[in-house]
Amino acid sequence: LYGVDIDPGAVEICKLRFWLSLIVDEENFYNIKPLPNLDYKVVCGDSLLGFPENWGSPIEQEIENLMDEYFNETNSSKKQELKNKIDEKINWRFEKSEKTFGYKINFDFRLLFPKVFREKGGFDVVIENPPYVRQERIRNYKPLLERAGYQVFNATSDLYTYFYEKSYKIAKEGGFVCMITSNKWMRAKYGEKLRGFLKDKTTIKKIIDFNGYSIFEATVDTNIILFQKQKPNNNTFQAITVGNDFNVQSMEQYIKEKSIQMQQSKLEYECFVLAEDKILKLKEKIEKIGKPLKEWDVKIYRGILTGFNDAFIITTEKRNEILANCKDEEERKRTEEIIKPILRGRDIGRYYYKWAGLWVIFIPWHFPLHKDESIQGASKKAAEEFEKQYPVIYKHLLKYKEQLSNRNKDETEIRYEWYAMQRCAATYYPEFEKEKIVWQEIVSEPSFAFDNKKFYCEATSFLMTGKTETLKYLLAILNSKAGAFFFKQFYAGGGLGEEGYRYKKAFLEQLPIPPITPQNEHIVKQIEDLVNQILSITQSEDYLENKQKQEKELEKQIDQLVYKLYGLTEEEIKIIEGNL
């Protein structure tokens, strides 16, 4: 057994666990053999950055011979002497490599575990639980990973993805790799190279997608994969997608009952979908009939990310107070124009929204700033001009200046003034005032609504603009049972918790929707009429209390029409309704 971890504490705990295992197995407690020296069996270091595979050196044989001698040495002085020699040679090798590669190496599998590669060409079995570190936190580490030549490198990949390729490289030909990680690589755009790597270079034996079930205390959704280091050959593998009925205590039995056999060739680079053949055929069918949403004449945007909601999102009472303190009608009018009604994700439901009486102070402009001598002068001038135009708003935001300034704290340049919105919102703010579809990002069921009252949207929601007729048609598809099933099953990028999933732009744009043609115009017209009826109900003041039953009946009619648009059979409809 060999092990490596970047955390020294984890290494010491592992050694202790090995020693305890050896003691437990001893039959004669009065004649316990000395424990082996594990310093070069379980090692601390960065396992992702090592030497290129062809970067060998004669010194490695010397190190291996010394390690063999050290392993069973019991004399303390001799042991220390051997350890000093080994460390000296290893450190010399690392120092040489830093000059060659331009970055520091403190661990290398072939250098630290030479016998494994000399005798076997790699490990028989590699087991890993890599750390889940988001790509934003490895900004300075990414260039090193790219320089190390990872085939799966992607500038937006989270750290764990690189361990897949490293595990493959250190396994012997025909060896096995088993990993438990976040399951996002299976569907996220950043995982496309990794999906291709696994599909084309390995023989997958088993994938368990835990979906929304929490294996760890962290909120990361996980999967377990077992693959062999050999090229695929028309093989099948065991696939399990964990549902709400999963119980970790009966995991072995659950896997036996729920597993399906899948052909590895059926996995797609765009997304790994674990499903029976009949469901995969359904996916093929809808993708032939439909046109991905990204090809429709619509625009999709995320809601406003203020960076500090306490400053920018205010109640109606606070809005009225701000307007009342304006010195004259001209200033009041000017101020009123930049305070907009806003919807949060939680305010939006299926075909309706319920405004919470909140407003956003929307300041969409910024002064272009550059790294030169005038930057402070430009910022000061901008702030003075803003205070002059909006003195009451300025006074309100001034209370939060420190927090607002911190929004740029980790940036290499000042991207926007402390009192202004982030630049992205500034580029598309006119879209908020158009007719649009709005929806909350994280849901347990589709929650798309239609807005024609110029509401702005907060960061936990998205909006879509386009022609009114097109929007109402898309609204029906997105809220339908078929639309919900197709999205959740094939495009949602994995679950969140027991039932949740995310309607992110990148995921939603993949959803295939039947285009409007002369052949289906009559069905589309019926759908639009039904949507208008639903909107007349949901936009009434007493909707939530009295009229939901009537709306549900109209939704059922829409569902049947959507099934017709996709040309679904009775069996395919049963698949959809049985899995929602």
Side-chain angles (χ1 to χ4, degrees):
L1 289 173
Y2 298 83
V4 58
D5 199 290
I6 203 167
D7 179 6
V11 171
E12 294 306 313
I13 290 171
C14 183
K15 287 180 185 177
L16 177 61
R17 182 67 181 84
F18 281 177
W19 283 328
L20 289 174
S21 297
L22 290 172
I23 291 172
V24 167
D25 288 340
E26 286 287 350
E27 294 180 0
N28 186 350
F29 289 103
Y30 298 100
N31 189 27
I32 296 177
K33 297 177 183 177
L35 295 169
N37 303 309
L38 300 179
D39 296 82
Y40 304 107
K41 293 289 185 179
V42 186
V43 182
C44 182
D46 183 345
S47 59
L48 288 180
L49 297 179
F51 304 136
E53 292 180 25
N54 60 355
W55 201 260
S57 169
I59 199 173
E60 291 172 8
Q61 185 61 58
E62 297 177 38
I63 293 171
E64 181 181 345
N65 294 338
L66 290 168
M67 284 180 174
D68 287 343
E69 189 178 349
Y70 176 79
F71 183 64
N72 290 309
E73 180 60 58
T74 57
N75 181 281
S76 58
S77 59
K78 179 66 173 174
K79 186 168 72 172
Q80 187 60 49
E81 182 184 342
L82 286 169
K83 189 174 187 309
N84 290 341
K85 285 182 180 180
I86 296 169
D87 289 344
E88 182 182 353
K89 292 181 182 295
I90 289 173
N91 290 332
W92 178 85
R93 187 87 168 90
F94 285 150
E95 288 168 8
K96 287 283 186 181
S97 67
E98 185 172 1
K99 294 176 183 177
T100 303
F101 302 116
Y103 56 85
K104 188 173 183 179
I105 294 174
N106 62 18
F107 174 83
D108 180 77
F109 282 97
R110 285 170 175 76
L111 182 66
L112 272 297
F113 309 139
K115 185 174 289 189
V116 174
F117 294 90
R118 182 174 56 80
E119 294 182 355
K120 289 176 170 288
F123 292 96
D124 296 301
V125 178
V126 180
I127 301 172
E128 288 203 41
N129 173 21
Y132 182 71
V133 182
R134 289 183 60 83
Q135 59 95 8
E136 296 91 346
R137 293 175 56 196
I138 58 171
R139 192 175 302 168
N140 297 329
Y141 191 62
K142 289 178 193 175
L144 305 183
L145 293 169
E146 186 174 19
R147 201 178 306 167
Y150 279 93
Q151 295 178 47
V152 301
F153 179 81
N154 183 299
T156 60
S157 288
D158 293 332
L159 183 65
Y160 72 89
T161 58
Y162 301 99
F163 285 88
Y164 278 88
E165 184 175 342
K166 175 59 77 172
S167 299
Y168 173 90
K169 286 182 175 178
I170 64 173
K172 73 176 186 180
E173 190 64 34
F176 290 87
V177 176
C178 188
M179 301 182 66
I180 181 167
T181 71
S182 163
N183 64 6
K184 293 295 179 280
W185 67 269
M186 295 175 64
R187 305 168 183 88
K189 188 172 180 61
Y190 71 66
E192 188 166 359
K193 287 183 180 178
L194 175 54
R195 291 190 292 271
F197 184 90
L198 292 172
K199 180 181 177 180
D200 297 339
K201 291 178 174 288
T202 77
T203 297
I204 297 173
K205 297 295 185 179
K206 182 181 294 187
I207 300 179
I208 306 173
D209 184 2
F210 287 95
N211 216 353
Y213 185 88
S214 296
I215 293 294
F216 303 111
E217 291 183 7
T219 57
V220 178
D221 294 331
T222 54
N223 74 273
I224 295 174
I225 185 171
L226 172 66
F227 65 83
Q228 190 172 12
K229 185 177 178 177
Q230 66 179 23
K231 287 201 170 185
N233 184 23
N234 296 321
N235 60 287
T236 62
F237 67 94
Q238 194 178 16
I240 304 97
T241 300
V242 167
N244 295 337
D245 57 341
F246 178 73
N247 186 332
V248 73
Q249 303 302 325
S250 57
M251 182 172 173
E252 187 176 353
Q253 184 63 30
Y254 185 91
I255 289 173
K256 285 181 181 178
E257 293 175 357
K258 300 290 185 178
S259 65
I260 59 173
Q261 288 297 123
M262 281 190 65
Q263 285 186 300
Q264 184 166 327
S265 59
K266 289 290 184 73
L267 294 172
E268 297 180 352
Y269 301 120
E270 291 78 12
C271 177
F272 275 13
V273 176
L274 306 184
E276 296 175 274
D277 196 49
K278 62 182 180 180
I279 293 180
L280 294 178
K281 286 181 178 177
L282 179 55
K283 181 175 184 285
E284 291 177 17
K285 180 175 181 176
I286 67 165
E287 289 179 347
K288 285 180 181 178
I289 291 172
K291 183 171 70 171
L293 185 58
K294 64 183 177 183
E295 295 179 15
W296 286 71
D297 187 20
V298 295
K299 297 176 182 177
I300 298 177
Y301 301 97
R302 188 184 181 184
I304 300 165
L305 182 65
T306 69
F308 194 69
N309 283 355
D310 288 353
F312 289 105
I313 296 180
I314 60 176
T315 62
T316 298
E317 181 182 15
K318 186 64 179 179
R319 171 185 178 268
N320 293 340
E321 178 189 324
I322 288 172
L323 295 177
N325 287 330
C326 294
K327 65 180 180 182
D328 54 38
E329 188 60 30
E330 185 178 337
E331 182 192 330
R332 177 188 170 91
K333 184 178 179 181
R334 196 164 55 240
T335 303
E336 191 173 15
E337 285 177 353
I338 64 169
I339 304 179
K340 310 288 186 178
I342 192 167
L343 294 172
R344 304 163 299 178
R346 74 188 80 167
D347 302 327
I348 303 169
R350 195 190 198 100
Y351 285 109
Y352 79 92
Y353 55 80
K354 188 173 182 181
W355 183 44
L358 297 177
W359 304 77
V360 61
I361 300 172
F362 192 77
I363 306 156
W365 57 84
H366 64 281
F367 280 70
L369 301 176
H370 306 281
K371 291 181 179 179
D372 56 37
E373 302 179 329
S374 63
I375 188 169
Q376 295 300 326
S379 295
K380 184 178 180 182
K381 182 179 178 182
E384 289 173 352
E385 181 62 27
F386 178 71
E387 183 180 14
K388 179 181 176 182
Q389 294 290 323
Y390 303 95
V392 184
I393 292 287
Y394 184 87
K395 184 178 179 181
H396 164 74
L397 294 177
L398 195 60
K399 294 182 291 186
Y400 307 100
K401 184 175 181 179
E402 181 180 354
Q403 297 95 320
L404 294 175
S405 299
N406 285 341
R407 294 177 301 166
N408 280 327
K409 199 168 188 178
D410 296 329
E411 301 296 330
T412 56
E413 62 177 343
I414 299 175
R415 297 181 301 160
Y416 43 82
E417 298 296 342
W418 66 265
Y419 51 80
M421 286 291 167
Q422 295 189 11
R423 184 180 298 180
C424 57
T427 60
Y428 59 80
Y429 72 93
E431 301 296 316
F432 289 113
E433 305 203 5
K434 296 179 181 178
E435 289 187 330
K436 57 188 176 291
I437 295 175
V438 294
W439 66 95
Q440 57 176 310
E441 178 183 356
I442 301 174
V443 294
S444 57
E445 65 174 16
S447 299
F448 294 84
F450 183 77
D451 170 52
N452 57 5
K453 296 183 179 178
K454 300 184 179 181
F455 276 98
Y456 282 49
C457 298
E458 186 255 350
T460 54
S461 60
F462 284 81
L463 64 142
M464 181 193 307
T465 58
K467 293 179 181 178
T468 303
E469 299 77 14
T470 302
L471 291 178
K472 289 183 177 178
Y473 170 62
L474 295 176
L475 179 67
I477 301 290
L478 296 172
N479 276 331
S480 70
K481 286 183 178 179
F485 173 79
F486 297 149
F487 179 75
K488 188 173 183 179
Q489 181 74 36
F490 306 130
Y491 310 106
L496 290 171
E498 291 187 0
E499 297 181 354
Y501 52 106
R502 302 178 75 173
Y503 273 101
K504 290 182 68 175
K505 176 183 177 181
F507 301 155
L508 189 60
E509 285 182 330
Q510 300 175 56
L511 182 67
I513 295 174
I516 302 170
T517 66
Q519 291 74 31
N520 67 17
E521 272 183 334
H522 63 291
I523 299 177
V524 174
K525 183 65 170 64
Q526 292 177 61
I527 289 175
E528 289 174 4
D529 290 342
L530 290 168
V531 169
N532 285 328
Q533 291 180 55
I534 292 175
L535 293 178
S536 68
I537 294 169
T538 59
Q539 291 175 359
S540 61
E541 292 184 5
D542 60 347
Y543 160 65
L544 289 177
E545 289 74 25
N546 300 315
K547 297 189 177 180
Q548 291 188 59
K549 186 176 180 181
Q550 186 181 349
E551 180 215 340
K552 293 296 180 187
E553 182 56 41
L554 295 171
E555 284 188 37
K556 287 181 182 179
Q557 295 179 45
I558 288 176
D559 286 333
Q560 296 305 313
L561 293 171
V562 172
Y563 292 150
K564 285 184 180 180
L565 286 173
Y566 283 105
L568 302 183
T569 65
E570 287 298 321
E571 184 181 353
E572 289 166 339
I573 293 171
K574 285 180 182 177
I575 291 173
I576 292 171
E577 298 194 345
N579 285 279
L580 284 175

